[in-house]
Each structure stands twice: as C-alpha cells, then as structure tokens.
C-alpha cells in the first residue's frame, strides 16, 4: 500500500481524500501542529526525515484577504515552504503532488478555458504565490504532479467540513430567506469535491506533469447560482428574489479563468460538466 504523507490534513479536500481512499493508501497526516509552514528551513528538515512514498501537499493559506494583508508571511507558507517540500522530495526520489489553483489564470491573456501550458497571470497575491511555486517545481523537479483545482463544492459529512462553495452559498440564501448576490462578470469551473477524493489512487499514478482538475461550466457565477437554486426545488419567483446579480464586481474587466480538463480526462480521470456534478452531489446527499 502506498504511503501518502498529506499536508493540510484537516482541510476539506484532504479530509475527503483520507475518507474515500483509506483502504487504498496509508496516510500520514501533517498539519501546522506538526511543522511550522512559516519556517521553510524547518519544513525542509522535517521532510528530509519523514517516511513516505508520495507527498500530497495540500496545506496553504488560501484566504485571499490574508495574502494581501501579509504578503511576506503567506509567501513563506504558500511558496517558500512548498518549494522546500518539493526540493526535499526530489533529492530523496519521492514524488511530490502540489495543489495549485485556477487563480493562476485570473488575469491571463487569451480566451478561456486555459490549458496547462497557457500563459499564467494573476491579480491576487495568492495566485501569484502559487504560480511561483508551480513554476519552480516544473523547472527543477523530475517526478511531480501539479493539480490546478477549480472551485470545489460539496456538503458536510461526518468529520468533514466543507469550505464555502457555490452549493452551500445558495443553500444558505434559500434556508435563511436572505437574498445573496452572485457575480455576473465572472466565469469559472466548479467541480464536485468527491471527483478528486474518489479517484485519488488513480490520480497519484498519473505521469509526471501539470494537470487541470475541473468539470466544465459555461455559465457565469450568477447563472450557476440560479441553476443550483432551481435544482434544489426553489420556485422561479423565489429564485428571482433570493439569487441576485452582482453587476459591480469585475464590471470593468470581466474575469473568465475556466480551465480545460482535456489532458487529465485523456489520462483516464473522470470529470464531467457542472450540471452532471451537481446532480451527482444532490443524489449522493439525498437532495435530488
């Protein structure tokens, strides 16, 4: 059984991965209580001594506001420590799996969806920090996977708490009766988190390289939110009242940072459309 050292082990996707792949992988869970990701030198020393076959590096400070407020501290976490882990893995002949993000393309030139080799550009510190680590790994490591995730969605399970996502945001508006606004000038992929968790053993065996992990979505975030509300059985008049358009955000420069997933699907990893993922999720949780 493959020994997988997983960082950020208490996070949503890491928790799901451990739950779904417990019978296929032997996990060693690493969190900030085990190693200080603000200390890249200490991180590298830790990973030089740890026992594992693959490092699934999911730890990050993904809070955009925090990255803007503390660029130096978050750079140590998101960039310098990621490079330290990758360097330790490379020198020991261990595979590193680095979780990157769609945010690497939120200011990229050219039309979306973006492929793995398209030019990256980001307006956020978080995206820029991930881009820097992403580029270093591609240039300096032989055996690696870079998984650039879209916005992942799902619901809570025992021991698994989801991050805010399109489904939970819409459900909050429907349950509270308080209207919520969703961006009109934004297009992005949204992917059911179980797509990753349920296929982790196959993903870990992919040929070395960068891959986009994203189910396809042609709608704006506002249009997507309306679809979610309708699928949840909300009457059209209530959808109109509760799911409101955010016309202001990105109005001057609309964002489209959708990712093309042809490469990873050609390698045998199952991904679909947002509509398919939404129906799959609602069915899994008895909401269809």
């Amino acid at each position: 059984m493959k020994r997988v050292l997983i960082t950020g082990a208490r996070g949503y996707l890491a928790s799901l991965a451990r739950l779904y792949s417990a019978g296929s992988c032997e996990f060693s869970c690493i969190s900030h209580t085990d190693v200080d990701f603000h200390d890249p030198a200490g991180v590298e020393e830790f990973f030089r001594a740890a026992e594992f076959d693959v490092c699934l590096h999911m730890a990050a400070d993904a809070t955009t506001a925090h990255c803007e407020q503390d660029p130096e501290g978050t750079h140590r976490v998101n960039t310098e420590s990621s490079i330290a882990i990758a360097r330790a893995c490379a020198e020991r002949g261990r595979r590193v799996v680095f979780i990157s993000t769609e945010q690497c393309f939120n200011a990229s030139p050219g039309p979306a969806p973006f492929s793995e080799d398209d030019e990256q550009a980001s307006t956020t510190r978080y995206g820029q920090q991930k881009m820097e680590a992403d580029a270093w790994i591609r240039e300096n490591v032989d055996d690696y996977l870079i998984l650039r995730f879209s916005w992942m969605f799902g619901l809570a399970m025992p021991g698994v708490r989801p991050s805010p996502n399109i489904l939970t945001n819409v459900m909050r508006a429907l349950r509270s009766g308080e209207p919520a606004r969703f961006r009109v000038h934004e297009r992005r992929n949204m992917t059911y988190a179980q797509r990753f968790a349920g296929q982790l053993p196959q993903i870990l065996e992919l040929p070395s390289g960068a891959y986009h992990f994203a189910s396809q979505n042609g709608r704006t975030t506002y249009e997507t939110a309306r679809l979610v509300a309708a699928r949840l059985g909300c009457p059209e008049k209530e959808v109109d009242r509760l799911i409101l358009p955010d016309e202001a955000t990105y109005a001057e420069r609309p964002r489209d940072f959708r990712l093309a997933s042809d490469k990873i699907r050609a390698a045998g990893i199952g991904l679909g459309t947002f509509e398919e993922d939404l129906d799959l999720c609602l069915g899994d949780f008895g909401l269809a």
Side-chain angles (χ1 to χ4, degrees):
M1 186 178 293
K2 193 178 295 292
R3 297 173 300 170
V4 179
L5 189 155
I6 184 167
T7 69
R10 297 176 184 173
Y12 175 46
L13 290 175
S15 298
L16 271 182
R18 292 189 289 116
L19 179 65
Y20 274 69
S21 300
S24 303
C25 301
E26 180 184 330
F27 289 105
S28 295
C29 300
I30 305 299
S31 71
H32 63 88
T33 59
D34 301 297
V35 61
D36 182 4
F37 290 98
H38 289 89
D39 175 16
V43 167
E44 188 163 347
E45 182 179 358
F46 180 90
F47 280 84
R48 287 184 188 280
E51 291 297 326
F52 60 93
D53 300 312
V54 177
C55 174
L56 177 55
H57 180 39
M58 307 190 77
D61 188 335
T63 304
T64 301
H66 194 200
C67 292
E68 299 299 328
Q69 295 161 2
D70 182 17
E72 293 184 2
T74 54
H75 186 271
R76 288 194 295 272
V77 173
N78 292 333
T79 304
E80 296 170 45
S81 284
S82 295
I83 290 172
I85 290 170
R87 181 165 47 237
C89 289
E91 292 178 359
R92 297 182 62 197
R94 305 290 193 269
R95 169 167 276 199
V96 61
V97 183
F98 175 64
I99 303 303
S100 190
T101 172
E102 62 183 359
Q103 298 296 326
C104 294
F105 295 90
N106 69 23
S108 290
F114 296 103
S115 67
E116 283 78 1
D117 296 325
D118 283 338
E119 180 181 349
Q120 297 181 28
S122 180
T123 60
T124 62
R125 297 271 190 181
Y126 175 64
Q128 293 161 8
Q129 291 165 0
K130 284 289 190 175
M131 282 171 54
E132 187 178 343
D134 186 311
W136 191 93
I137 291 169
R138 285 183 283 116
E139 293 171 6
N140 294 280
V141 178
D142 293 326
D143 187 14
Y144 69 89
L145 295 178
I146 294 172
L147 301 177
R148 299 184 188 128
F149 281 175
S150 67
W151 194 14
M152 310 298 281
F153 74 89
L155 296 173
M157 301 176 66
V160 180
R161 181 180 178 182
S163 305
N165 60 74
I166 189 67
L167 180 54
T168 60
N169 291 348
V170 171
M171 291 177 72
R172 184 180 305 112
L174 301 189
R175 287 171 174 168
S176 69
E178 294 292 330
R181 294 189 179 273
F182 297 84
R183 293 168 181 170
V184 171
H185 303 291
E186 174 184 84
R187 294 179 186 270
R188 62 195 299 190
N189 302 118
M190 302 174 196
T191 309
Y192 185 30
Q194 272 79 339
R195 292 275 195 184
F196 169 70
Q199 299 181 92
L200 180 60
Q202 299 96 305
I203 289 169
L204 295 180
E205 298 297 331
L206 287 169
S208 183
Y211 296 86
H212 289 173
F213 195 89
S215 290
Q216 299 305 295
N217 183 29
R219 294 175 171 83
T220 67
T221 300
Y222 168 63
E223 292 167 341
T224 304
R226 289 184 60 90
L227 173 67
V228 172
R231 285 283 210 279
L232 289 168
C234 187
E236 186 172 356
K237 287 185 178 180
E238 279 295 281
V239 174
D240 292 339
R241 185 179 74 85
L242 295 171
I243 307 300
L244 303 181
D246 173 358
E247 298 275 7
T249 305
Y250 308 141
E252 294 183 0
R253 187 178 180 182
R255 286 193 185 178
D256 185 348
F257 45 105
R258 291 172 293 162
L259 305 177
S261 57
D262 306 69
K263 179 180 177 181
I264 198 166
R265 288 190 291 108
I269 301 303
L271 288 164
T273 64
F274 172 74
E275 294 93 331
E276 291 169 340
D277 278 17
L278 178 60
D279 289 343
L280 183 61
C281 178
L282 296 182
D284 285 348
F285 286 90
L287 299 173

